[in-house]
Structures are given as C-alpha cells and as structure tokens.
Amino acid sequence: MPQQPAAASPPTVADSPRGRGWWQDAVIYQVYPRSFADADGDGMGDLAGIRGRLPYLRDLGVDAVWLSPFYSSPQADAGYDVSDYRVVDPMFGDLADAGALIDDAHALGLRVIVDLVPNHASDQHTWFRQALREGPGSPLRGRFHFRPGRGESGELPPNDWESIFGGPAWTRTANPDGAPGEWYLHLFAPQQPDFNWDSRAVADEFRSLLRFWLDLGVDGFRIDVAHGLVKAAGLPDIGVHDQIKLLGNAVLPFFDQDGVHEIYRDWRRILDEYGTDPATRRIAVAEAWTPSLDRTANYLRPDELHQAFNFQYLSTGWAAEPLRAVIGDTLDSMRPVGAPATWVLSNHDVVRHRTRFGGGSAEQDLRRARAATLLMLALPGSAYLYQGEELGLPEVLDLPDSVRQDPAFGRAQGTDSEGQEGMRDGCRVPLPWSGPAAPFGFSPVEGGPSWLPQPAEWAKLSVEAQTGDASSTLEFYRRALVTRREHPALGAGDAVEWLDAPQGVLAFRRAAAGSALVCTANTTTAR
Ligand code: BGC
C-alpha cells in the first residue's frame, strides 16, 4: 500500500483566531451518511462508519463536517422525510453513536453541523398520523396544511401548486370513515407533508429540537429548504409556469416569503444563548434558493443566520465571464450584511462537478474539476466540499432504473424537467475506500452489498489507490487545503482585486498581512 503522507495538523476547536468566527473561512465537508462508510456490513453507511473515518477527514484538512439527515425516517426521500427528529434511525445507529461521533470529531479538531428539516416531516411522524386519524377539524391538522378540495365534491386540489419532484403538490386523504376527505400540501414527495409555520406548536417544537441537538454538542445546523417554511397568505394559485425546480430561482408564493426571517431571528437568539465567542459559536447555514444573491443576503443579516449556500455560484458553468460576474455579485451582496461568502460546486442534489463541467474526455473533466476546486478555495469566505469530490469521482450516469431510490426519478418518469437522465442517485453512490473490487472497503464485508452499485473503474479512484500518489486528486486536495490554511492571503475576506486577463481566463489577486497571491483560471480548452 502506498505510504500515507505526513498529515498537516489542523487547528483544534480552540485555535480559531479571536475576533474572527471559525465559520468565516471554514472548509466544510458534506458527509452523506448512506454512502460514506458502512461499519456493520448491511450495505448502508452508518454513524459508526463515519466515526471510524474521522481521522481521514482530519488528514484531508477540512475544518468541519456537515452530516445529511440520519434521523428516524421511512427513507421516502433518503432521510429528508423525518418521522422522529430526536431519534437516530436504527440503520445509522443510535443517539449514543451520534454523541460519540460529535465527541470524537471535536477531539480531532473538527466541528459538526447537522441537518435540520423544518419545512416538512414524514407522513409517518406521529403528529401527521394522528391528524389523519382524527379527521377534519382536528387541531393537529393545523400543524400541517390541510384544505378541502375544489370542484363539486372536492375532487380537485386546493390550488395549482406542483411538487418539486413532479405532479401536484397536494394529496387527497380519506376520512376516518373511508370517504374521500381533505387534501394536504407537500412541496416535495407525498410522504413529506409541509408543516404550517403559523402554528405555535410547530415553532415551539423546532425551538426545542434546536436545543436538543445543541445540548448534544453540535456546532451548527444546515437548514433544509430554509426559504420554504412560510407560504403566502391564502395559498394563491401561481398560474401558468414551468415545472418548479429544487434548484430554481423563480418568485413563488411558497418560497422566500418575507415572513421566514422572523423564524430565523428567533433561532438566532437560541444559538446565541449557547455562547457568542467566535471560536466556539454555534452557527446555522441556510439552504435557501432565492431569486437573487441580494435576497439570499437577507437570511444573513446580523440577527439571522451565519451562512447560506451560494447556489448562484453552483449553477454557473465553467466559463470565465459568468464566473467573474457571480463572484463579484456574491461579494457585493454579502458585504453589506457582514456575512462570509460561501462557495460550493457539488452536493447530494446535483450532478458532480467533474461531470457537469466535463468537456467530454475523462482527462479534461478532471483538469477542469481540479481548476474549479482551486479557484473556489482561493475565493474569500467559506467553502463546501461534497464527499468523493476529493477523489475526483464522476457522476454515475448508468445506474439501472431498478436500483434508483430518488423519489424524483419515479415522479418525473426517469428524467428531470430538462430531459436530463440521472436525477440524484448518480452523485450518491457509496465511496470507494480500498481494494480491487466492490464494495471497495465501503463495507467491511468482502464482496458485500452497497445500496447503490459502484462502477468497477472506481478501484483506481479509491482512497487507498490515491494516497501517496502525488499526481492523484486526493493528494491535490490535501495540498490545496494545506496551502489555503497556511497562506495569509487566503481564507476570510470580502473582496478580490481583478486583474486583466485574456478572454476565457479569470485572474485575481488577494493580499493580506504582507503576503499576496494571484489566482488564474483558464476556462478555455487551450492549454
Ligand atoms: C435536500 C434534498 C431534499 C429536499 C427535501 C433539499 O433541498 O437537499 O435532498 O430532497 O430538500 O427535503
């Protein structure tokens, strides 16, 4: 096995420079628990698997880990359908495993951010089940959006909203006596009923949930669909429109309503109760798809959240001029609210950036992906990495339909609204750790299962295969993260100095503490 290079030692949790929040230049690594590491050999990743691989993340040189949901869930949307927010799903472990993972991460100098899913629950959540059982008029129905249907006998949905996964955003229920009854709203799958945030019980429950996980020691929350909690009064029709997209930025009566900000001001007060020392502060990052970066900045006013994903950046192609525009817009929008810019290229909902930016050949894909990564890491602010990008994993485009689990796949008849094959399973294939054959050390069982099949070619992309090979993507990420940590001009900041560059090339300079750095990215095919 190739020699493990000496690990750069990341700072411990207490080392953050005073006065500057740890999150302002943190590199945050997204772990998708189903696909990271499987300790018990059932083919599904778990918390014990993640715990065992924390030293790998420390050695990679990231500052924090964001874990996608591992709570009790029927898995209709891979855990984003939560049936009990205080319980770890047995397929991932238990609460003791979560506590141990947090403690181990802290001991290694890594912070832990967990996902909070406040827009919707699972239809197996006790409140929803009881609301169905009790029938129309039950006070529990007030915690969701139940409405009578339109049409003569209520046979039509209450409005024209569509689910982000395709099809109507409403499902009709049966009354306790079996007769057709009210409809309920679900912006996502029918198994994900939306909470009604006008309900006091909902707001109280989420305050209590924040405290529950903060008391367990988490350093922050990633807030799922943060822009969706408040719906426009009266749930008005939209009229003619394209299929609503998860990654869209249209102005809609169920996204980015001004009322959401009251919720985040309230949550900020709770986070602040846990301390305001910048080195140990608990933070929240919004998954907020909004029409513009200025609207995103509203979530980051000083009494609201700390960060928001930069989906405008993620949605920009590999082309210098649009990249320069979105980088400039981002910095200009964040400056007035004093929030750090964030940058992200891949996550569990989008085609991996190696494939997205691909120019056709595997070699060119990789060169572009690496260039995009270096550019991202040179920008001022905080950066998000998605598990496996450090291995240069491509999107898996040829998964058989029979193994796909993304609910969007079934609802959209196998393609997304633009006819693109793949949906979201292709970026969720379990990681290759070691060995010549699947499951490549993902599970401890030789030849054992993995919930999605891994391509045979991933043998050469495994952590083991890349470790110690200076030309590998993994060693490239390790070096990039060391440079980012050590160079005084990298990391936090709110501006770049643009330099003249030929068409298709992006060049900027950053300077701090007597040091300077120039970043140049060539987005053309010329070498
Ligand atoms: C998550 C998705 C999920 C959706 C519904 C998103 O934004 O990232 O994976 O399907 O919210 O919870």
Side-chain angles (χ1 to χ4, degrees):
M1 194 178 131
Q3 210 53 49
Q4 174 96 14
S9 49
T12 63
V13 168
D15 283 346
S16 280
R18 286 199 84 75
R20 183 200 287 170
W22 64 266
W23 64 96
Q24 286 177 316
D25 60 2
V27 175
I28 301 172
Y29 181 101
Q30 179 186 0
V31 167
Y32 193 67
R34 291 174 141 242
S35 305
F36 190 68
D38 169 20
D40 64 9
D42 65 355
M44 187 59 79
D46 46 42
L47 297 185
I50 301 169
R51 206 177 149 201
R53 301 287 185 180
L54 287 173
Y56 165 78
L57 296 177
R58 188 265 325 266
D59 294 349
L60 179 60
V62 300
D63 302 293
V65 177
W66 148 36
L67 301 166
S68 281
F70 49 79
Y71 317 108
S72 181
S73 162
Q75 303 288 318
D77 184 19
Y80 283 95
D81 49 319
V82 182
S83 52
D84 191 331
Y85 290 82
R86 291 180 182 78
V87 171
V88 171
D89 197 283
M91 75 188 222
F92 294 125
D94 59 22
L95 207 54
D97 292 321
L101 194 166
I102 294 166
D103 292 347
D104 282 9
H106 287 168
L108 292 170
L110 295 165
R111 292 175 174 85
V112 178
I113 292 174
V114 293
D115 227 301
L116 189 69
V117 189
N119 180 68
H120 45 266
S122 157
D123 63 350
Q124 298 307 306
H125 190 285
T126 8
W127 288 2
F128 190 75
R129 289 171 55 157
Q130 205 176 328
L132 284 185
R133 264 200 312 274
E134 291 181 2
S138 153
L140 279 171
R141 292 206 170 196
R143 298 179 187 182
F144 301 92
H145 294 279
F146 279 89
R147 293 283 184 285
R150 296 205 261 208
E152 258 176 43
S153 49
E155 73 283 9
L156 299 172
N159 70 18
D160 66 356
W161 296 2
E162 280 175 6
S163 150
I164 280 97
F165 293 154
W170 295 90
T171 290
R172 195 165 195 189
T173 62
N175 286 333
D177 65 4
E182 293 180 322
W183 298 69
Y184 68 89
L185 175 70
H186 51 86
L187 291 181
F188 294 88
Q191 299 89 336
Q192 293 168 293
D194 278 50
F195 281 118
N196 174 8
W197 272 86
D198 289 335
S199 154
R200 233 174 97 177
V202 170
D204 285 349
E205 170 67 353
F206 274 88
R207 282 189 203 107
S208 155
L209 284 171
L210 286 172
R211 291 203 166 89
F212 179 86
W213 288 99
L214 288 166
D215 289 343
L216 200 71
V218 303
D219 300 285
F221 299 93
R222 177 261 188 191
I223 302 166
D224 188 61
V225 195
H227 56 309
L229 278 47
V230 171
K231 277 73 181 174
L235 311 183
D237 278 337
I238 303 174
V240 179
H241 60 87
D242 292 334
Q243 165 64 47
I244 312 303
K245 291 188 201 144
L246 176 61
L247 317 185
N249 54 8
V251 177
L252 294 161
F254 43 79
F255 280 164
D256 196 33
Q257 300 292 305
D258 290 337
V260 290
H261 298 290
E262 199 44 58
I263 298 169
Y264 301 130
R265 281 192 276 271
D266 182 35
W267 289 9
R268 177 59 178 260
R269 286 189 286 271
I270 294 174
L271 292 168
D272 285 355
E273 278 172 26
Y274 284 77
T276 54
D277 180 336
T280 51
R281 196 163 197 153
R282 318 291 182 101
I283 67 143
V285 49
E287 187 217 18
W289 292 88
T290 70
S292 67
L293 281 154
D294 287 341
R295 294 288 303 180
T296 302
N298 287 341
Y299 293 73
L300 306 174
R301 290 175 282 204
D303 57 350
E304 297 195 36
L305 306 176
H306 301 79
Q307 286 188 342
F309 291 104
N310 189 343
F311 293 122
Q312 275 84 359
Y313 184 70
L314 183 147
S315 313
T316 304
W318 183 238
E321 287 69 25
L323 279 169
R324 179 174 165 155
V326 74
I327 292 166
D329 267 10
T330 301
L331 296 170
D332 290 348
S333 304
M334 297 302 136
R335 209 172 292 119
V337 290
T342 69
W343 314 99
V344 60
L345 293 168
S346 286
N347 67 32
H348 67 295
D349 289 328
V350 299
V351 171
R352 284 185 176 278
H353 71 271
R354 171 169 178 184
T355 303
R356 227 177 46 238
F357 292 156
S361 75
E363 199 209 333
Q364 177 159 305
D365 291 3
L366 196 56
R367 278 210 311 270
R368 283 193 180 172
R370 289 184 183 187
T373 298
L374 276 194
L375 167 63
M376 172 172 84
L377 293 175
L379 292 169
S382 174
Y384 280 81
L385 307 182
Y386 176 52
Q387 66 177 40
E389 68 172 80
E390 78 279 17
L391 304 176
L393 296 188
E395 184 81 1
V396 180
L397 295 168
D398 57 357
L399 286 170
D401 290 359
S402 57
V403 303
R404 289 179 184 279
Q405 294 196 13
D406 181 357
F409 182 74
R411 307 260 298 173
Q413 282 96 41
T415 54
D416 73 8
S417 54
E418 280 149 4
Q420 186 190 4
E421 293 276 355
M423 308 304 295
R424 302 179 298 172
D425 290 306
C427 63
R428 299 176 177 179
V429 173
L431 292 193
W433 290 94
S434 58
F440 301 117
F442 165 67
S443 105
V445 183
E446 211 174 303
S450 65
W451 73 277
L452 285 174
Q454 301 153 301
E457 322 76 86
W458 281 18
K460 54 181 186 299
L461 295 179
S462 75
V463 172
E464 180 185 51
Q466 296 196 41
T467 297
D469 171 358
S471 69
S472 73
T473 308
L474 177 57
E475 295 301 351
F476 168 89
Y477 266 73
R478 286 178 172 153
R479 284 193 303 273
L481 291 169
V482 169
T483 306
R484 181 181 156 100
R485 191 186 298 289
E486 288 178 350
H487 201 295
L490 291 175
D494 67 0
V496 298
E497 182 195 338
W498 292 108
L499 304 176
D500 286 340
Q503 214 186 351
V505 176
L506 203 68
F508 62 82
R509 183 172 179 275
R510 295 189 63 191
S515 290
L517 176 135
V518 170
C519 172
T520 309
N522 177 5
T523 64
T524 72
T525 48
R527 298 179 79 173

